[in-house]
Amino acid sequence: MARVILGVTGASGSIYALKFAQILKDAGVELHLIFSETGLEVARFELGQEGLVELKSLAHKRYDAKEFWTAPASGSSDFDAMVVLPCTMGTMGAIANGISSNLIHRAADCQLKEQRPLILAIRETPLNEIHIKNMLRLATAGATLFPAMPAFYTRPATIDELAFSFAGRIAQFLDIEVKGLPVWTPNS
Ligand SMILES: Cc1cc2nc3c(=O)[nH]c(=O)nc-3n(C[C@H](O)[C@H](O)[C@H](O)COP(=O)(O)O)c2cc1C
């Protein structure tokens, strides 16, 4: 993995995006960052100004979600993977139905059409029938649904640890090295 697009939408869980961006930095992977309009607002609210500044600073390049004259809008740009983290039901619905009304939707559409990895860390509860049908459409179209469900079996002591282990699972799935990722070990 050399170049990864990270789409940050307006679902709860911006801390996962920050942890994932830190992991990419440590692994020497280029981060191409796109906030949706609400994603930026929710990130500011959940991370605070300091956390938001850190997240932005970890990007190799940042794009405006309204800007289509950019590399992520083209399938020929050859990004290795795209992760939407966290991913709203709205963004999932747009991607599931091919509605490329912002750069996150369009970049995700490109990943699918070029058969390159697309991970959606969806977050909502409870789920309605529309959400579930959209998940099935996306799984069938080649996306990986990675619900933002952090694990407690690594016994995290802090929210930071919890978020790191979830973001680390996504990175690990993409074969990106994650230093210090807590692992669950079987008894036998
Ligand atoms: C504080 C806050 C938390 C939200 N959390 C979620 C969420 O977890 N999941 C979700 O689907 N939408 C959530 N929303 C609603 C979305 O932000 C809203 O539907 C928005 O239009 C999504 O646009 P986007 O997908 O372009 O970011 C939240 C909104 C706010 C203000």
Side-chain angles (χ1 to χ4, degrees):
M1 288 282 147
R3 301 194 318 146
V4 170
I5 301 172
L6 172 61
V8 180
T9 69
S12 188
S14 328
I15 188 170
Y16 299 127
L18 178 56
K19 295 290 155 200
F20 186 69
Q22 289 167 343
I23 289 167
L24 293 194
K25 186 81 173 178
D26 284 353
V29 177
E30 261 186 28
L31 166 61
H32 294 253
L33 182 62
I34 316 166
F35 287 97
S36 71
E37 206 175 324
T38 322
L40 189 60
E41 289 169 18
V42 174
R44 184 174 290 116
F45 179 71
E46 290 190 344
L47 299 175
Q49 189 58 24
E50 208 176 302
L52 178 61
V53 168
E54 183 184 351
L55 174 53
K56 288 178 177 173
S57 76
L58 292 165
H60 173 80
K61 198 160 171 44
R62 188 152 52 88
Y63 308 87
D64 189 304
K66 293 191 188 112
E67 184 54 82
F68 289 94
W69 292 78
T70 53
S74 167
S76 56
S77 292
D78 210 14
F79 287 96
D80 297 300
M82 175 172 182
V83 178
V84 185
L85 171 68
C87 182
T88 63
M89 297 302 101
T91 290
M92 174 174 73
I95 299 168
N97 291 281
I99 302 165
S100 295
S101 56
N102 73 23
L103 187 60
I104 294 177
H105 311 157
R106 170 62 186 166
D109 202 56
C110 287
Q111 290 297 111
L112 289 179
K113 81 185 175 75
E114 302 298 333
Q115 300 186 9
R116 289 197 292 258
L118 171 66
I119 293 181
L120 305 178
I122 50 170
R123 206 232 69 103
E124 190 48 280
T125 193
L127 297 166
N128 66 34
E129 187 186 350
I130 296 167
H131 302 150
I132 293 164
K133 283 185 169 159
N134 282 335
M135 282 188 223
L136 183 59
R137 279 175 76 88
L138 284 161
T140 309
T144 301
L145 278 298
F146 222 113
M149 292 178 180
F152 292 83
Y153 49 67
T154 55
R155 306 188 64 175
T158 63
I159 290 176
D160 251 38
E161 281 182 24
L162 188 72
F164 172 71
S165 67
F166 178 70
R169 281 283 288 115
I170 297 179
Q172 196 180 47
F173 184 86
L174 292 171
D175 283 331
I176 294 167
E177 191 197 358
V178 189
K179 291 179 196 122
L181 183 67
V183 287
W184 174 81
T185 39
N187 288 336
S188 56

